[in-house]
Amino acid sequence: MMKAYINHHEYAFNEGETLYDFVSRHLGSDEIPVLCHEKDLQPFGSCRFCSLEVAQSAEGDRRVMASCHTPVKDGYYIFTHSDRIDRLRSTLMSLLLSDYPDTMLQPSGDALPTPFQKLVKQMSAAGSIYPSGKKQHKIDTSHPYIHFDSSQCIHCFRCVRACDAIQGEMVLAMNGRAYDSEIIFSMNQNVIDSECVSCGRCVQACPTNALTDRYHSKTCHADQHVRTVCTYCGVGCNLDVMLKQGEIKAITAVEDAEVNHGHACLKGRYAFEYYNHPDRLTTPLIRRGNKLEPASWDEALDYIAATLEQIKNENGTQSIAGISSSRCTNEENYLMQKFMRVVIGNNNIDGCARVCHAPTAFGMREVFGTGAATNSIDQIPLADCLLVVGANSTEAHPVTGTKIRQQAIKGVPLIVIDPRRIELVRYASHHLQLRPGTNVALLGMFIYYLITEELLDQPFIETRTEGFDEFKQTALDVDLDQLEAVTGVDRQQVRDAAMAYGQAANAMSFHGLGLTEHYQGSRGVMLLSCIAMMTGNIGRRGVGVNPLRGQNNVQGAADMGVQPKLGAGYLDVADENVRQYYEKHYGRPVPVEQGLTTPEMIHAAAEGQLKALWIMGEDILQTDPDTTHIRSALKNLDFLVVQEIFMTETAHMANVVLPAASHLEKSGTFTNGERRVQKVNKVIEPLADTRADGQIIVDIMNRMGYPQAGYDPAIQLEEISKVVPFFAGVSWDNLGDNGKQWPVAEDGTDTKVLHTEAFKRGKGKFVFTRFVETPELLADDLDEYPFILTTGRRLQHYNCGSMTRRTPNVDVVSNDVLLLNSSDAKRYGIHNDDRVEVRSHQGVTHLKARLTDEVKTGVLFTTFHFPDVAINQLTSGVLDLDANTPEFKVTAVAISKVQ
Amino acid sequence: MSRNIRALSARHNLKTTPFELLVESSKKTGCLSEYQLKKISQQTHLPVAHLMATASFYDFLKPENHNKKAYICNGTSCLLRGRQKQLHSALLKKYTDNEIGEIRCLGHCHHGEAYIENDRVLDVSHCYSGANENADKISFYSLSAVSIFDNQYETIEACYQSVLLDRQLIKQQLNDSKLRGRGGAGFLFSTKLNACASAASEQKYIVCNADEGDPGAFSDRYLLEYKPHLVMAGMLAAAQACGADTGFIYVRAEYPVAQKKIQQAINEFEKTEIFQQTSFCFRLITGAGSYICGEETALLNSIEGLKPEVRTRPPYPAEAGLYSMPTLLSNVETFAAVPWILEHSGAEYAALGNKHSTGTKLVCLDHGFSHPGVYEVEMGYSLKQLVYEAAGGFSNNVKALQIGGPLGCIVPVEMISELTIDFESFDAQGLLLGHAGIIAIPETFPMIDFMRHLFEFMSQESCGKCLPCRLGTQKAYDMLSLAGDQSPVDIHGFNDLLQLLEDGSLCGLGSGLPLPVRNMMKYFNHELADYFSQGEEK
């Protein structure tokens, strides 16, 4: 055993351990003061407060060493305090104080002290014997969230290092040299004008108040902390919500969270002010004539129950449908599908997965037997090659995005298949910039080269899969000239990328809606899944096929049975045994008739077959394609119920609007994109007269004659664990702080990697599909619509924007803009900030232009966060052939400059 | 130190590095505009903030100097010569005040009146006459029976051929030679060489530290300008022993002639058959004005396009140096001694000097001596003999020498006879030989001003990474600047600062400064006492 002595006491140390880690491990982290050191960052050796005396023998000559970056050696005698060290630290402090504003040495008001202020107090430091510098200080409050005061900067570089080593944005730097150096954002710009993405990690890292945020999250003196899960995407970051007297004051990222390790993006960390925004719905509303008028809960619920009964009696059970919400908890989604299936009595239940990852669920299920991510996000560093298809993780999945980017920067080969030159491309080794809508063609070429370059994992193919010979034959029988022409990507580039993927020991793929929201969306997912199988990149750590889930609980909603064909736990309701299984648990029969997907519901409403629709937490009018069509369909309904927290475009059309509680106001579980079921803990009581979505469903179930216990995640989880096989070992009490990744065995053991021994479906199934052009681009009058519009998301806003638009995020990004290639802009005489009319077969809207080389000529890009742009007026009714998911990513449009 | 920036920079490894792009781009237009920085960012994928910050670090790239046409040397020797004002007024005939900058140091300490304009280092007479040629000639005197650096080779080829020996033999000879690094620290060269040679890595590098920034030193400049092949052959030998395929020579911006000579020598080397046989590449990296780049890890960072801030150690460069690969880094004079050792033998080299300091040493004497120049002496040579006999004594009345640069010791003239030119003699007196550049401090120059000069120099050249050096050098300078009869420097606070610099600094810049300062306080207390508060040491 290797031993060293701390203040003459003997302790064991670990190989390579630093003096600081060694001493802190044995004597606690307060033993050695530090300012520049932080556990998530590499030792830097800047502040020198951690200096210790070290000798080779008990009485030997002592040398001063900085403990944060000096390794312990056998037989070291370490002294944490001595006159020399105390003197050194007080001189350091005196130097710092000579330039530090006297008024900032203590926390103001009831704020907690910063680490620096703590050290000042601990050392009883006051004033300085050294002359004060004549520095000009900069105070920058240009940004709604992140503020900078250079007078409190102690040059520890932690912000610079955090922005670099954690966020990977590298916006911060120490400009200049020596005493005159100073922190800059981008090119010495104000924070708001810089490339800062306001993730707030620098603020968290800063040991003083040089970098602070709007909520003073670092020094918030909370009387209560609640750990919960972010609502803004499928990454599932754990957040620490701080309260004072029951009011939310600040949010920060949880340091020890397995998902995010103290990191978050600006949505999770800062965009919470929506929760008590004056626009929050606080009372039920019932339409009387043209107006939505306030009503009591009893009134509203009675009215709904009576109306639904009446519609059911008059038009049959099939005339009612429900759309559940991926923003809601597992328990709420479970209740919603149960409500439709056993109380209303049909399978007309769908959710927003329909407009995003239904093709993933379908495609991966076809190939593997399970439609969920095969691996875990923390395995990204284990991969030797990363493949990202149709996903802009930097903006849509920021914390996972940083992990992918960190690897790419360090030189791990990264293949990006995307029509846009997204931010990741900057660091990627391969960018296959295909024409939107040609994933299947491109992946076909990719497969072709994996075969011809002999990059197959034959033993894996032979033992674990079926159908490869036929697959191979069809895959080789492709017309490369044609594929090259339709994708617009040089075959050599595809070959190089395929070789990078195929030669990697561990290749890991990620995909997003750029793969799924297409005419051949599910087919694209199937090809991507086959690519993993043929190269043996599945069933172990650091590989696999990993969909990046959009909404916070889109995985969970599907798991809970929010889809017409499959009930809770993905059991096929067409199967008699399955129906009996459900009946046993629900105490009521489960209907056999096939249910409607969301687009089918819209269609049925437009045709007059569907009479009533219940929508929980989704603004389909803004987020689903072809707004005009949806509007007329919704108008055609007899009865529309919307549960919402804000008056959305869809809610405006409702007969009854029910004010729901936000995710901060209820408990439950969310399942993130890596199948991790995590606890959402109620932070505050529901606002005014709002109710948890789950409670609303329970209330209506009871009113309609089904006895359902009140909304309580512990109770519902117990029920779910009995119904959903892969939730067998899940209970509210055993989820712990970091949740569990399903399947969870009865003894509580969870699963990091799927398909390790065998696929869920037994053998993996190879399915090849040829490229087929989308009907959207086969219209007779296509000449009049020469551009392809493709849509996506921006970092600052979430989905329809109803929440983020009601936070200061809107001061960072205040509208949707149209990205168009500079040469196209030139041809149309369009300049930056010009207003452009964009017109499709379906509709027309106006947007501000932004010239870019992010998209190729002929391709336009925008987002769907703002209702005044309402870009989905333009998107088409083309659906994925297998999963009915709308083709948001390809719309034929024409543009003209608005004069 | 950023792993990300390093990884991104490494993608450009042997092509044009991001740092070179900054330097080239700046040379083309005389400045680095935001547009240029953005363009380089696009080209290299390095973030703009980082590129801007990096550029702002270097004297020849920083925005404050974009309009500068000429820079006057403010190195110690030029300061002591006292001709800067005269030079400045002469330059005002050509340039506006704004267009005249300041630089440390041009390595023309034998003249002591240098300025640089358009990559030419000139002196006052040129400024007056408008003469174009570089009249600078360094006088070289070998006082050693055997001259290590005066080796004559029939051809360039022969010079390189002479070092192409068996790897083991090279290591053996260098072990035997007991050659110690000439950059100042005196570290045993073979220890570094063996560490690099035994490191397990496919990729290794040799780096020659030709960033001789210490005022008073110009021996490396002499070797680079007059004996470039000797230096490079030494690097090639080290590469043979270590298994490295590339040698970087980092020549500072203040040495434009040396840069040209090295580039010329590289071109000549590449015409030899040796180049074909060995496929060894030399790469000249031109600096951009920063003293700290002479610190080995700052130098490596500079090549990599990182800000030249000092790295924490371990790891040492021999384990993880340039781009984290094992790297043998040593200085010009050390490499230049290698060909002689291999041609003769390590033992023969070790026979020169005393037993511990072997071989010969180049000593630079500045304009304060009657015969300034570069002197080659056998280790152990009498300082007195060198100063008073070989160099002909002083050109003016001198009270002290500073030996080994601004971090070197201050030796009162009375002590000259007690010292010999070798590491041990200096160690014994609590002094340092350093690289043995010697500056003569005139009787008339106040020691308080000399002390201020040292602190000013260091406060401006500190990389700013560690707190003791960044704040300590500046605050000490401020204290000395404010010091007068009425408000003496608080001696306790000042001593605390010195102790902090010595104990707490990340590198030798901060930790080395207390030596000359304490020497001054010890030997010139009579001059300095009035400036410091009196009081018992706490």
Side-chain angles (χ1 to χ4, degrees), chain A residues 35 42-49 51 64-65 69-71 84 87-92 95-96 98-99 129-135 153-155 157 161 164-166 168-181 184-189 195 406 408-412 425-429, chain B residues 1-5 7-8 11 33-35 37-38 41-42 45-50 52-54 56-59 62 104 289-291 307 309-310 312-314 458-468 470-472 474-475 478-479 482 490 492-494 496-497 499-500 502-506 537-538:
Chain A
L35 288 175
Q42 289 289 310
F44 192 69
S46 150
C47 79
R48 319 306 280 178
F49 273 92
S51 297
V64 176
M65 292 181 176
H69 65 83
T70 309
R84 190 174 172 193
R87 189 87 169 254
L88 176 144
R89 288 178 189 153
S90 70
T91 308
L92 282 171
L95 281 172
L96 279 179
S98 68
D99 284 342
I129 57 160
Y130 300 109
S132 169
K134 300 170 284 288
K135 287 180 90 179
C153 175
I154 57 166
H155 290 64
F157 293 71
R161 288 146 63 209
D164 171 350
I166 297 171
E169 208 69 41
M170 300 184 273
V171 169
L172 285 155
M174 187 66 82
N175 199 43
R177 186 207 285 173
Y179 184 68
D180 291 328
S181 56
I184 55 165
F185 282 77
S186 289
M187 303 190 86
N188 203 1
Q189 288 155 301
E195 292 158 319
Q406 286 291 354
I409 292 174
K410 292 183 180 66
V412 173
V425 172
R426 184 179 171 92
Y427 306 114
S429 51
Chain B
M1 186 193 73
S2 162
R3 292 178 172 190
N4 282 340
I5 306 266
L8 290 172
R11 298 186 185 189
S33 65
E34 292 195 358
Y35 172 79
L37 290 172
K38 278 184 187 160
S41 171
Q42 275 168 9
H45 308 313
L46 263 62
V48 283
H50 169 79
M52 182 177 224
T54 303
S56 72
F57 195 97
Y58 296 98
D59 291 324
K62 65 184 182 187
R104 294 166 301 268
S290 160
Y291 175 75
K307 271 189 91 181
E309 285 154 357
V310 174
T312 56
R313 274 162 289 211
M458 292 308 156
S459 67
Q460 294 182 3
E461 297 296 346
S462 163
C463 79
K465 180 175 172 180
C466 79
L467 198 160
R470 184 180 69 84
L471 285 177
Q474 180 68 38
K475 297 295 171 181
D478 291 345
M479 289 169 97
L482 294 169
D490 177 320
H492 301 304
F494 189 77
D496 281 349
L497 260 190
Q499 196 59 43
L500 171 67
E502 185 172 281
D503 285 344
S505 297
L506 179 57
E537 265 291 314
K538 258 192 247 174

Side-chain angles (χ1 to χ4, degrees), chain A residues 817-836 847-852 895-899:
Chain A
V817 294
L818 184 73
L819 302 190
L820 81 162
N821 186 280
S822 309
S823 64
D824 288 335
K826 205 172 169 188
R827 278 195 294 131
Y828 284 77
I830 295 167
H831 302 96
N832 266 327
D833 293 336
D834 281 352
R835 289 199 74 74
V836 179
L847 288 112
K848 248 190 198 178
R850 184 162 305 159
L851 278 51
T852 177
I895 57 169
S896 57
K897 183 176 166 178
V898 178
Q899 295 302 332

Side-chain angles (χ1 to χ4, degrees), chain B residues 76-114:
Chain B
T76 313
S77 284
C78 283
L79 174 78
L80 296 178
R81 181 82 195 270
R83 304 269 300 244
Q84 289 160 321
K85 274 189 190 153
Q86 201 183 340
L87 183 52
H88 191 265
S89 14
L91 283 169
L92 279 176
K93 296 191 176 127
K94 267 170 100 174
Y95 303 119
T96 66
D97 192 35
N98 271 340
E99 289 170 336
I100 304 167
E102 181 187 302
I103 204 83
R104 294 166 301 268
C105 139
L106 294 170
H108 282 54
C109 316
H110 49 311
H111 290 154
E113 47 174 308

Side-chain angles (χ1 to χ4, degrees), chain A residues 52-332:
Chain A
L52 305 174
E53 279 194 307
V54 178
Q56 307 282 354
S57 62
E59 301 305 323
D61 283 346
R62 296 183 183 185
R63 284 184 58 202
V64 176
M65 292 181 176
S67 65
C68 72
H69 65 83
T70 309
V72 193
K73 289 193 183 145
D74 208 16
Y76 264 9
Y77 283 77
I78 300 161
F79 303 93
T80 57
H81 291 275
S82 68
D83 286 349
R84 190 174 172 193
I85 290 299
D86 294 345
R87 189 87 169 254
L88 176 144
R89 288 178 189 153
S90 70
T91 308
L92 282 171
M93 183 54 88
S94 189
L95 281 172
L96 279 179
L97 293 191
S98 68
D99 284 342
Y100 203 85
D102 296 341
T103 51
M104 307 289 184
L105 291 176
Q106 280 103 33
S108 61
D110 76 334
L112 294 174
T114 61
F116 178 65
Q117 288 167 336
K118 255 186 237 169
L119 189 58
V120 167
K121 191 172 173 200
Q122 193 187 317
M123 292 175 66
S124 311
S128 173
I129 57 160
Y130 300 109
S132 169
K134 300 170 284 288
K135 287 180 90 179
Q136 292 251 327
H137 292 301
K138 184 178 173 182
I139 293 185
D140 179 357
T141 52
S142 61
H143 194 279
Y145 294 125
I146 294 180
H147 304 156
F148 181 57
D149 170 6
S150 72
S151 72
Q152 298 187 66
C153 175
I154 57 166
H155 290 64
C156 67
F157 293 71
R158 268 164 78 169
C159 56
V160 176
R161 288 146 63 209
C163 192
D164 171 350
I166 297 171
Q167 173 62 19
E169 208 69 41
M170 300 184 273
V171 169
L172 285 155
M174 187 66 82
N175 199 43
R177 186 207 285 173
Y179 184 68
D180 291 328
S181 56
E182 59 179 5
I183 294 291
I184 55 165
F185 282 77
S186 289
M187 303 190 86
N188 203 1
Q189 288 155 301
N190 281 335
V191 182
I192 189 71
D193 301 322
S194 75
E195 292 158 319
C196 170
V197 295
S198 25
C199 71
R201 191 58 181 81
C202 59
V203 175
Q204 193 174 324
C206 175
T208 73
N209 280 325
L211 277 160
T212 52
D213 61 46
R214 181 185 184 93
Y215 308 106
H216 302 286
S217 58
K218 197 163 49 183
T219 55
C220 177
H221 194 167
D223 52 34
Q224 193 192 349
H225 289 258
V226 181
R227 179 175 177 146
T228 191
V229 177
C230 181
T231 186
Y232 282 126
C233 80
V235 173
C237 293
N238 291 200
L239 302 177
D240 173 17
V241 186
M242 290 172 260
L243 300 102
K244 274 191 220 173
Q245 286 148 8
E247 257 186 70
I248 298 174
K249 292 294 175 193
I251 292 182
T252 187
V254 175
E255 293 280 343
D256 63 355
E258 283 177 19
V259 169
N260 53 314
H261 299 284
H263 199 31
C265 75
L266 87 162
K267 294 196 291 286
R269 204 189 285 268
Y270 297 134
F272 62 86
E273 282 185 70
Y274 78 88
Y275 90 91
N276 60 355
H277 192 279
D279 289 353
R280 269 291 292 277
L281 295 169
T282 52
T283 180
L285 302 169
I286 294 179
R287 181 167 300 281
R288 296 195 172 96
N290 279 334
K291 279 177 74 183
L292 282 166
E293 290 179 358
S296 73
W297 274 102
D298 279 342
E299 199 182 348
L301 293 170
D302 287 346
Y303 174 51
I304 295 170
T307 312
L308 289 181
E309 290 292 357
Q310 189 191 342
I311 291 175
K312 197 166 147 184
N313 293 336
E314 287 173 11
N315 303 285
T317 51
Q318 288 301 320
S319 64
I320 301 172
I323 296 178
S324 193
S325 177
S326 301
R327 302 185 185 199
C328 292
T329 64
N330 284 321
E331 297 71 22
E332 293 171 324

Side-chain angles (χ1 to χ4, degrees), chain A residues 453-470:
Chain A
E453 297 298 330
E454 297 176 348
L455 298 165
L456 306 176
D457 184 342
Q458 286 299 350
F460 188 90
I461 292 170
E462 277 156 32
T463 56
R464 298 280 310 267
T465 70
E466 61 191 26
F468 185 69
D469 290 342
E470 199 192 328

Side-chain angles (χ1 to χ4, degrees), chain B residues 208-475:
Chain B
C208 173
N209 182 347
D211 195 66
E212 182 186 47
D214 281 344
F218 45 96
S219 45
D220 287 351
R221 184 165 75 83
Y222 168 77
L223 291 170
L224 295 166
E225 291 181 11
Y226 295 86
K227 307 280 179 187
H229 289 296
L230 220 48
V231 179
M232 288 161 57
M235 292 172 69
L236 180 65
Q240 290 285 112
C242 293
D245 65 0
T246 309
F248 290 83
I249 311 168
Y250 188 98
V251 185
R252 54 203 301 266
E254 294 83 349
Y255 283 5
V257 177
Q259 292 180 349
K260 281 180 203 119
K261 297 281 181 171
I262 288 292
Q263 189 53 58
Q264 200 181 321
I266 291 174
N267 297 344
E268 287 165 1
F269 169 77
E270 287 177 357
K271 289 192 191 105
T272 64
E273 272 179 31
I274 312 259
F275 174 63
Q276 306 298 334
Q277 287 163 26
T278 59
S279 74
F280 185 79
C281 280
F282 284 104
R283 292 269 280 109
L284 166 68
I285 303 285
T286 62
S290 160
Y291 175 75
I292 195 63
C293 288
E295 196 283 334
E296 59 179 9
T297 62
L299 183 143
L300 294 174
N301 283 354
S302 179
I303 299 176
E304 292 177 1
L306 291 158
K307 271 189 91 181
E309 285 154 357
V310 174
R311 297 181 188 175
T312 56
R313 274 162 289 211
Y316 291 87
E319 312 151 58
L322 191 63
Y323 297 112
S324 298
M325 299 301 164
T327 300
L328 177 74
L329 187 150
S330 200
N331 104 312
V332 174
E333 190 181 330
T334 321
F335 282 121
V338 171
W340 191 94
I341 295 170
L342 296 182
E343 196 187 9
H344 299 82
S345 78
E348 220 173 304
Y349 186 85
L352 297 167
N354 68 24
K355 274 178 190 165
H356 302 287
S357 300
T358 59
T360 66
K361 178 79 197 85
L362 295 183
V363 181
C364 305
L365 302 183
D366 84 341
H367 60 77
F369 296 84
S370 296
H371 306 301
V374 176
Y375 291 77
E376 181 181 9
V377 298
E378 202 171 320
M379 282 287 195
Y381 196 81
S382 147
L383 180 61
K384 185 178 170 192
Q385 209 175 345
L386 172 67
V387 170
Y388 293 106
E389 292 174 22
F394 302 110
S395 54
N396 281 304
N397 286 340
V398 161
K399 58 182 166 189
L401 308 179
Q402 185 170 29
I403 303 180
L407 304 171
C409 50
I410 306 279
V411 177
V413 281
E414 303 79 47
M415 270 181 74
I416 289 176
S417 54
E418 298 169 30
L419 293 166
T420 53
I421 309 284
D422 55 76
F423 297 113
E424 293 70 27
S425 157
F426 278 71
D427 282 354
Q429 304 273 1
L431 304 173
L432 277 176
L433 173 63
H435 56 60
I438 305 183
I439 285 170
I441 305 173
E443 201 62 75
T444 50
F445 198 89
M447 270 303 172
I448 186 74
D449 288 346
F450 197 84
M451 195 185 275
R452 282 181 189 137
H453 166 72
L454 291 188
F455 276 108
E456 183 187 32
F457 185 103
M458 292 308 156
S459 67
Q460 294 182 3
E461 297 296 346
S462 163
C463 79
K465 180 175 172 180
C466 79
L467 198 160
C469 182
R470 184 180 69 84
L471 285 177
T473 55
Q474 180 68 38
K475 297 295 171 181

